[in-house]
């Protein structure tokens, strides 16, 4: 799918519908990950990490492979940097960034968008792309809006993220 303005608007509307329809936080987060992964070719791997104490713990994810980084201390890696600062990180060339924690050999660029609730970072959206410098201002804008929409649903799962880390495939549709 080519990424037109309509693609971004359509994805935001789809997430808005999910947030309004779904009762369970787990369903909101899982379906949001699916929408983002399935609607944008340059979103090769999409995951949500949730803050648990001083760590980020992997929640729902969708992509070709599982990551070994299911728990990342806040402050480590690109994920940990975004959680520590509360500011979106866009890395055009992951191999040129010393902070980068490698997950997949095919990854070329990455965006990490913090999810804040009442001023505290409670999670983040992490997207790896196989395309160099894949993330543009429209991606940042979309994902920061998605983060706002799903933020209330990142609180009730605080005692549950480990369940996601164990789950092979990350989502029921994944192989
Ligand atoms: N690359 C991330 C680690 C998470 S994987 O991309 C899924 C980082 O540097 O923090």
């Amino acid at each position: 799918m080519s990424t037109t303005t309509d693609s971004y608007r359509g994805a935001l509307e789809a997430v808005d519908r999910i947030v309004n329809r779904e009762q369970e936080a787990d369903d909101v987060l899982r379906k949001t990950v699916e929408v983002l992964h399935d609607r944008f070719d340059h979103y090769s791997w999409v995951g949500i990490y949730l803050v648990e104490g001083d760590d980020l713990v992997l929640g729902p994810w969708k992509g070709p492979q599982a990551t070994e980084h299911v728990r990342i201390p806040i402050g480590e890696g690109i994920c940990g940097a975004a959680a520590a600062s509360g500011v979106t990180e866009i890395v055009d060339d992951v191999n040129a960034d010393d902070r980068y924690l490698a997950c997949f050999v095919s990854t070329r660029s990455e965006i990490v968008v913090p999810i804040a609730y009442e001023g505290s970072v409670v999670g983040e959206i992490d997207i790896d792309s196989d395309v160099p410098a894949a993330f543009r201002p429209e991606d940042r804008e979309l994902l920061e809006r998605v983060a706002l929409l799903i933020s209330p649903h990142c609180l009730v799962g605080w005692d549950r993220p480990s369940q996601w880390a164990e789950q092979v495939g990350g989502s029921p549709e994944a192989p």
Side-chain angles (χ1 to χ4, degrees), residues 62-108:
K62 190 165 183 185
Q65 276 176 265
T67 174
E68 68 186 89
H69 296 295
V70 295
R71 183 177 283 270
I72 300 172
I74 292 175
E76 286 188 19
I78 296 162
C79 286
S85 68
V87 176
T88 296
E89 291 277 352
I90 294 179
V91 177
D92 287 341
D93 177 0
V94 289
N95 294 313
D97 194 314
D98 289 342
R99 303 168 303 172
Y100 177 60
L101 299 171
C103 289
F104 318 111
V105 286
S106 56
T107 300
R108 291 290 174 270

Side-chain angles (χ1 to χ4, degrees), residues 8 29 42 51 100 104 109-110 122-123 152 164 170 172:
Y8 288 94
L29 301 188
H42 61 301
V51 171
Y100 177 60
F104 318 111
S109 57
E110 181 165 3
V122 294
W164 292 103

Side-chain angles (χ1 to χ4, degrees), residues 29-30 32-38 43-50 56-67 69-70 72 79 103-104 110-115 123-129 135 143 146-147 150 154 164 169-171:
L29 301 188
R30 181 175 51 80
T32 297
V33 162
E34 285 173 4
V35 160
L36 295 174
H37 178 269
D38 295 351
Y43 294 4
S44 308
W45 186 97
V46 178
I48 291 177
Y49 284 88
L50 298 169
L56 292 158
V57 177
L58 185 61
W61 61 273
K62 190 165 183 185
Q65 276 176 265
T67 174
H69 296 295
V70 295
I72 300 172
C79 286
C103 289
F104 318 111
E110 181 165 3
I111 185 169
V112 185
V113 178
I115 301 169
E124 60 188 29
I125 302 166
D126 176 25
I127 303 182
D128 285 23
S129 182
F135 301 105
L143 296 168
V146 168
I150 65 174
C154 293
W164 292 103
S171 69

